[in-house]
Amino acid sequence: MITGLLDELNNIEGVDGAFIASNRAEIINKVGLSLTDDQLSNLSLRALRIVAAFHKTGKKTVELEFYWQNLYIICKNSDNFLLITFCRTSSMLALLRITINVTMAKLSEDKKFSKWLKSHKADRDFLIRKESLEENEAKLIEAL
Amino acid sequence: MALVGNLKDLKLASLIQLNCMEKNTAKMTIEQGNKFGFIYFESGQVVHAEFEPDMGEEAIFKLLTLYSGNFKVESGIRSPAKTITKNWNNLLLDAMHQLDDQDEGEARKFDHLFERLFTVKGVQEVTVFDDEGTTVGSSAENAGTSNLYAFVQLQAMKTGAALNLEFPEFVSIVASGKKHIFAKYKQLNLEVEMEQKTKLDIVLPLLKQALG
């Protein structure tokens, strides 16, 4: 089912692919992406660190978007996972956002997926623990 | 009936001028964040102003530096005190001169940028910060440090690097009912706080234009 949902996203014009990452920045499932798992994991890690940093200041993050000239990355955050979609066309972003919201709702309702996530549950704050950060990152987090 | 609006749409100097030329007796309340400012008019003269912790001319001067904030003008309310005796024309001229002098200084370095950004609908606050998280300019009174924002920009830079791309042109984060948009600004960084419902597709080209 998860692959089917990601396929639906991938079928939208301009979408390069999508993937789901756990709270530990592990790739759970992906479709249509030519990037390596290391690259995707690194991207998830950065997004999750931002979520954790906001969380440290008492703010709950639901969405992150990165914009380049010809690439848009939309990250939707749920309590236990991150859905990340790559899109090349700005004109499709509105439709894509709606489809992503539907996908998020369906994923949250999927019992098998929820069960799997529970077994991979992790405290996101561990991603911003001092020992896992570089010096400049740690300094900024410490000052929050 | 009270006149209400936002300083983003009508500058305070114009509002003062309007009330004085109309020879109004009124109370103007300005709300910015958690702070309130008051200006009282009597028969077309500014007679009293408060903007914590300042009173009189100093309060007027501080209020004139605000880029945004809701205002309300209630007619017929008399001033509880008289702290300003200067004619309104001279009062505004003196304040403007002071503002011009400050324009030369570091503190008001980003005024024009903020003015441009506040023309974009939905912009609530703007912060300029360096990579170390030091706030170097803010449209908000008493802005704190920007460590969180600097952390976001650092992660954005690393995201670009992981994908063999440059720094993202924009990063947008929706958190606790606000939309935070990040961008590079010259050698510094910029965070624009907006209403959550703001549509990025509409606002990003406008922000791009405002950033020049």
Side-chain angles (χ1 to χ4, degrees):
Chain A
M1 181 189 171
I2 298 171
T3 309
L5 289 170
L6 294 182
D7 276 336
E8 274 177 37
L9 286 174
N10 199 34
N11 288 338
I12 295 173
E13 193 193 321
V15 171
D16 262 2
F19 72 99
I20 295 170
S22 73
N23 277 357
R24 297 174 187 172
E26 304 156 323
I27 313 305
I28 298 172
N29 207 324
K30 65 171 183 175
V31 293
L33 289 163
S34 55
L35 295 164
T36 65
D37 277 7
D38 273 353
Q39 283 177 304
L40 300 181
S41 180
N42 198 335
L43 165 60
S44 318
L45 176 71
R46 303 298 159 197
L48 287 165
R49 279 191 173 156
I50 292 174
V51 172
F54 268 85
H55 180 254
K56 199 168 184 238
T57 63
K59 291 173 184 160
K60 190 179 177 183
T61 309
V62 291
E63 184 186 290
L64 302 96
E65 299 194 3
F66 298 92
Y67 279 61
W68 285 270
Q69 202 75 40
N70 297 308
L71 176 66
Y72 311 93
I73 298 179
I74 301 179
C75 315
K76 274 279 182 183
N77 178 44
S78 150
D79 286 340
N80 299 316
F81 68 95
L82 205 59
L83 170 62
I84 302 181
T85 312
F86 288 62
C87 184
R88 294 267 171 202
T89 324
S90 63
S91 61
M92 298 310 285
L93 287 175
L95 171 68
L96 179 59
R97 285 194 193 100
I98 295 168
T99 315
I100 288 173
N101 287 339
V102 174
T103 308
M104 287 297 282
K106 285 182 180 169
L107 284 169
S108 303
E109 283 167 11
D110 188 297
K111 283 179 186 162
K112 204 174 154 190
F113 180 58
S114 300
K115 201 177 165 188
W116 188 89
L117 280 174
K118 266 182 195 166
S119 63
H120 283 68
K121 211 172 175 181
D123 172 17
R124 279 180 177 174
D125 289 346
F126 92 97
L127 293 173
I128 53 166
R129 278 187 200 140
K130 200 177 173 183
E131 55 273 21
S132 63
L133 297 171
E134 285 176 21
E135 199 186 328
N136 52 351
E137 293 173 311
K139 207 173 149 192
L140 291 168
I141 288 294
E142 218 169 301
L144 291 179
Chain B
M1 199 176 79
L3 170 69
V4 292
N6 195 292
L7 296 180
K8 282 193 282 187
D9 308 312
L10 193 53
K11 289 196 172 176
L12 185 60
S14 308
L15 270 170
I16 293 174
Q17 209 168 7
L18 183 75
N19 278 285
C20 293
M21 289 174 80
E22 293 290 326
K23 302 211 176 300
N24 283 348
T25 293
K27 174 191 179 185
M28 188 194 299
T29 307
I30 297 125
E31 181 191 353
Q32 208 226 26
N34 298 323
K35 282 187 84 177
F36 287 88
F38 305 98
I39 301 174
Y40 289 88
F41 302 88
E42 268 188 29
S43 306
Q45 288 297 329
V46 179
V47 291
H48 177 58
E50 294 175 27
F51 190 46
E52 209 180 320
D54 300 302
M55 296 246 270
E57 285 184 35
E58 193 55 31
I60 289 280
F61 171 67
K62 294 271 171 67
L63 284 165
L64 281 166
T65 65
L66 299 179
Y67 309 97
S68 67
N70 293 322
F71 69 80
K72 180 167 78 174
V73 183
E74 297 163 283
S75 292
I77 299 183
R78 298 189 78 88
S79 174
K82 191 155 184 165
T83 53
I84 298 169
T85 51
K86 208 177 262 180
N87 178 285
W88 73 268
N89 265 317
N90 295 334
L91 179 71
L92 273 186
L93 273 174
D94 288 352
M96 290 306 173
H97 280 310
Q98 276 199 59
L99 283 173
D100 284 347
D101 289 345
Q102 271 203 9
D103 257 341
E104 309 294 325
E106 192 72 13
R108 306 195 62 81
K109 200 170 156 184
F110 302 106
D111 273 16
H112 299 302
L113 169 71
F114 295 162
E115 273 171 22
R116 287 199 303 274
L117 287 169
F118 274 111
T119 61
V120 179
K121 199 170 180 285
V123 171
Q124 295 178 330
E125 232 170 80
V126 184
T127 305
V128 182
F129 57 96
D130 65 17
D131 293 341
E132 277 74 47
T134 307
T135 302
V136 292
S138 175
S139 64
E141 290 273 315
N142 310 318
T145 57
S146 298
N147 295 303
L148 174 64
Y149 300 159
F151 186 78
V152 169
Q153 286 292 70
L154 184 56
Q155 297 308 309
M157 188 261 285
K158 291 186 176 206
T159 301
L163 304 175
N164 302 321
L165 295 168
E166 292 183 354
F167 209 98
E169 202 173 1
F170 291 104
V171 176
S172 163
I173 293 169
V174 177
S176 295
K178 297 272 182 197
K179 191 164 269 173
H180 305 264
I181 297 174
F182 297 86
K184 273 278 171 200
Y185 179 66
K186 296 178 181 170
Q187 298 302 311
L188 296 164
N189 305 282
L190 189 77
E191 185 263 355
V192 180
E193 193 176 297
M194 310 194 79
E195 295 164 13
Q196 182 176 344
K197 63 181 180 187
T198 309
K199 300 265 181 241
L200 283 177
D201 315 350
I202 296 168
V203 100
L204 290 186
L206 297 172
L207 286 180
K208 213 176 197 177
Q209 207 174 10
L211 288 171

